[in-house]
Amino acid sequence: MADAAMGAKMPTSNPHEVPDGSAAADLPMPLPPLIEVEQPRRPSAAEEARTLVANTTVGTLASLTSAGDPWASIVTYGQLEDGTPVLCVSRLALHGRNLAADRRASLAISATAEDSQDPSDVGRVTLAGEVEQPDGSELDAARAAYSAAVPSGEVFSEFGDFTFWLLRVHQVRWVGGFGRMANADPASYAAAAPDPVAPRAAFAVRHLNEDHSDALLEMACALAGHTDALAATCLRADRYGLDLDVKTPRGRVLARVGFAQPIVATDGLRAATVELARRARGA
Amino acid sequence: MADAAMGAKMPTSNPHEVPDGSAAADLPMPLPPLIEVEQPRRPSAAEEARTLVANTTVGTLASLTSAGDPWASIVTYGQLEDGTPVLCVSRLALHGRNLAADRRASLAISATAEDSQDPSDVGRVTLAGEVEQPDGSELDAARAAYSAAVPSGEVFSEFGDFTFWLLRVHQVRWVGGFGRMANADPASYAAAAPDPVAPRAAFAVRHLNEDHSDALLEMACALAGHTDALAATCLRADRYGLDLDVKTPRGRVLARVGFAQPIVATDGLRAATVELARRARGA
């Protein structure tokens, strides 16, 4: 399984990923820059998956009934430090009985759709593996993780019929949206850190597009190498840089500009973007 | 499988349904009215499930890998007239290969969370059964249903590697939120109509609570029979009536008031609620 995110022409994993990468869905194309520029870093599939799992608390569990049939059910979850999902499930519930009888399970998590985005273009991840009941200090960690993630979690975990389960992750499939998808190996998933700027990224993207379109255009020309750029909007922001949708006489281009340093603090996006804008202006 | 929604003390089907019905999660209790009143109609589990499926286009599919492992993946879907979900899946995708090799499948759908609601108190439904490739007029209907539901659906269904699948529903499990849950039999599910007012219900509930708290209090006293009511807020609105959270000296009470007639038109909620308010005032 490759741990390289984005760009690769992998088989599509979803009806809503455009097989040829972009044209059919009216998306910007990843055209080469007109001048030589540094290749900016991107989040790995493992990092993307960790970020998604860390910023959501509701997912869908696939478990097996006693007949071996698949059963999908909505669950809330917390996560351990290494991204291992923590479930808290009643043994009276069908999915609780399923897990107790057959440990194989899969959890699908979808990013919260911002605004009226196309649901096909929203990030999502599937984790698959086997559940295991934690004990000792891992049970304490599981209980704390679940309570931190789920508002009413503490109440439920007190009931005698509820069991904590850890989903030991054996497979990770990440889909970022149209044409962005990759697998991650379990070790990379466990080792990766969730993106610290993810919770504020959508706000930052809106702000950049509303108030700083000139700076985005300068970035597209000077840093992404699309010197014929006519306009640029920001599509995504992550700890390593910005994805831009750049209007050029050659068509719409998907471009990327990288921060000077990966951001490690939750509030680091503003300073990093200001530095990027200064660099683009040659200041 | 019982087709009666709400109120029954069924085994909990989810970690986030409070086992004893309500107390632990600080919810209104379904206490009896103080005077005799008519028992208002409620949507059946089949109707609740149909409504949820009709008002959402994204769900999570549980399918089986070649090893028989469960695999959860996000899918978009449309629906036929009888609520049969329509999927359009690439044969290159893992879940596409899964369905082609083993027809057993399950689809979990969650209502869109309004505002910052507790994710455990959001409606959800699990459908389970077997997928089947439609042909003839059913294929045309499937294509039309999918295109109507999914913005980019038309594009994908043109690609040669995409297959339409109908999920023939054999099992329906509905969970409305804390303490509201039931199974529906497949025939009732197919025969039920989605609630016509569902798309506007959240707006109506907000409006009632913001501008018509006096009318809600009058309804709680005169129509729901909680003559000691001190205040009332509306929790939910459906084609048959309103669920109220009523503050009384006995504690918080979950009450219901029924419309004179079931609403059949999308825009019928206002007139029905005005009639209810008039009746409560004895006008």
Side-chain angles (χ1 to χ4, degrees), chain A residues 15-16 72 76 88 126 146 156 162, chain B residues 15-16 72 76 88 126 146 156 162:
Chain A
H16 316 296
T76 45
C88 178
T126 294
Y146 189 75
F156 297 106
F162 279 77
Chain B
H16 315 298
T76 46
C88 179
T126 295
Y146 188 76
F156 297 105
F162 280 78

Side-chain angles (χ1 to χ4, degrees), chain A residues 1-125:
Chain A
M1 287 182 286
D3 190 19
M6 201 154 166
K9 299 280 181 193
M10 300 181 61
T12 54
S13 74
N14 186 284
H16 316 296
E17 295 157 17
V18 182
D20 73 355
S22 63
D26 190 30
L27 293 169
M29 303 286 288
L31 298 179
L34 300 178
I35 57 169
E36 203 172 319
V37 290
E38 221 178 309
Q39 191 63 27
R41 184 169 174 184
R42 290 196 172 284
S44 67
E47 288 174 331
E48 296 274 17
R50 283 297 301 272
T51 300
L52 236 152
V53 172
N55 286 283
T56 315
T57 58
V58 182
T60 300
L61 181 76
S63 57
L64 296 175
T65 68
S66 54
D69 294 345
W71 183 257
S73 54
I74 312 291
V75 294
T76 45
Y77 68 90
Q79 51 157 3
L80 301 185
E81 291 274 313
D82 66 353
T84 299
V86 179
L87 309 176
C88 178
V89 174
S90 169
R91 284 185 299 279
L92 302 174
L94 179 56
H95 59 209
R97 297 197 303 273
N98 289 351
L99 294 181
D102 192 321
R103 303 297 167 91
R104 294 175 290 175
S106 176
L107 182 66
I109 294 155
S110 179
T112 312
E114 284 284 329
D115 308 325
S116 61
Q117 218 180 328
D118 186 335
S120 311
D121 200 27
V122 165
R124 48 202 181 269
V125 65

Side-chain angles (χ1 to χ4, degrees), chain A residues 52-227:
Chain A
L52 236 152
V53 172
N55 286 283
T56 315
T57 58
V58 182
T60 300
L61 181 76
S63 57
L64 296 175
T65 68
S66 54
D69 294 345
W71 183 257
S73 54
I74 312 291
V75 294
T76 45
Y77 68 90
Q79 51 157 3
L80 301 185
E81 291 274 313
D82 66 353
T84 299
V86 179
L87 309 176
C88 178
V89 174
S90 169
R91 284 185 299 279
L92 302 174
L94 179 56
H95 59 209
R97 297 197 303 273
N98 289 351
L99 294 181
D102 192 321
R103 303 297 167 91
R104 294 175 290 175
S106 176
L107 182 66
I109 294 155
S110 179
T112 312
E114 284 284 329
D115 308 325
S116 61
Q117 218 180 328
D118 186 335
S120 311
D121 200 27
V122 165
R124 48 202 181 269
V125 65
T126 294
L127 307 175
E130 299 201 357
V131 293
E132 201 176 283
Q133 273 184 254
D135 51 26
S137 63
E138 210 172 32
L139 175 58
D140 296 338
R143 185 177 283 118
Y146 189 75
S147 295
V150 181
S152 42
E154 209 145 356
V155 170
F156 297 106
S157 61
E158 299 301 316
F159 287 106
D161 62 309
F162 279 77
T163 305
F164 283 105
W165 292 104
L166 302 180
L167 176 59
R168 302 294 187 193
V169 175
H170 302 163
Q171 261 184 292
V172 180
R173 173 77 182 162
W174 165 75
V175 178
F178 291 118
R180 305 169 63 226
M181 67 202 84
N183 296 325
D185 64 87
S188 306
Y189 173 81
D195 193 321
V197 306
R200 304 191 186 185
F203 175 84
V205 167
R206 256 197 315 276
H207 172 66
L208 284 170
N209 288 331
E210 281 168 9
D211 299 339
H212 299 287
S213 54
D214 289 359
L216 293 174
L217 178 56
E218 287 170 344
M219 291 178 200
C221 291
L223 303 180
H226 297 288
T227 49

Side-chain angles (χ1 to χ4, degrees), chain B residues 112-137:
Chain B
T112 312
E114 282 285 328
D115 308 324
S116 60
Q117 218 181 329
D118 186 334
S120 310
D121 200 27
V122 165
R124 48 201 182 269
V125 64
T126 295
L127 307 175
E130 298 200 357
V131 293
E132 201 176 283
Q133 273 184 254
D135 51 26
S137 63

Side-chain angles (χ1 to χ4, degrees), chain A residues 233-246:
Chain A
T233 56
C234 184
L235 296 171
R236 281 176 294 272
D238 57 63
R239 75 189 95 177
Y240 301 120
L242 307 177
D243 280 337
L244 305 178
D245 181 345
V246 184

Side-chain angles (χ1 to χ4, degrees), chain B residues 214-216 218-219 222-223 259 270-283:
Chain B
D214 289 357
L216 293 174
E218 288 170 343
M219 290 177 202
L223 302 180
F259 296 133
R270 191 174 178 283
T273 312
V274 167
E275 190 280 331
L276 208 55
R278 281 209 189 106
R279 194 150 32 103
R281 269 200 311 277

